[in-house]
Amino acid sequence: MKTARKLSFIVLTSFYPEAQRAVLYADELAGGVDGRLLLLHANRISFFDPYIFTGESWRRQELADEPGIKAMLAHLAAHLHTPATV
């Protein structure tokens, strides 16, 4: 007997209000179908390398901030109604 797979919703998010609303909307959708969420932090969407103009020090600074971002996303995931992975 096969077990039904749960539907997964992949949500590209950030900490802007619009992205937070998208997470809450996806939470409602996933909850309605007994699904789950995968939260991915969308730092930026760009066709070019933004570090070309800012330099490697800016890239290192953003990488240093990454553990804090992951912690904030984990906090967000813990407060959703649907099981979520960061």
Side-chain angles (χ1 to χ4, degrees), residues 34-73:
D34 193 31
R36 58 186 176 191
L37 297 173
L38 174 61
L39 303 180
L40 298 176
H41 183 248
N43 193 13
R44 74 178 58 80
I45 299 172
S46 177
F47 292 111
F48 66 93
D49 182 3
Y51 302 110
I52 288 174
F53 303 111
T54 61
E56 188 61 29
S57 64
W58 186 264
R59 181 189 312 260
R60 284 193 301 269
Q61 179 182 348
E62 285 193 340
L63 289 174
D65 292 341
E66 193 171 293
I69 292 169
K70 187 173 182 180
M72 288 188 291
L73 281 176

Side-chain angles (χ1 to χ4, degrees), residues 4-9 27-36 82-83:
R5 293 185 183 184
K6 288 190 173 192
L7 187 61
S8 294
F9 290 78
D27 186 31
E28 291 293 323
L29 287 175
V33 297
D34 193 31
R36 58 186 176 191
T82 306

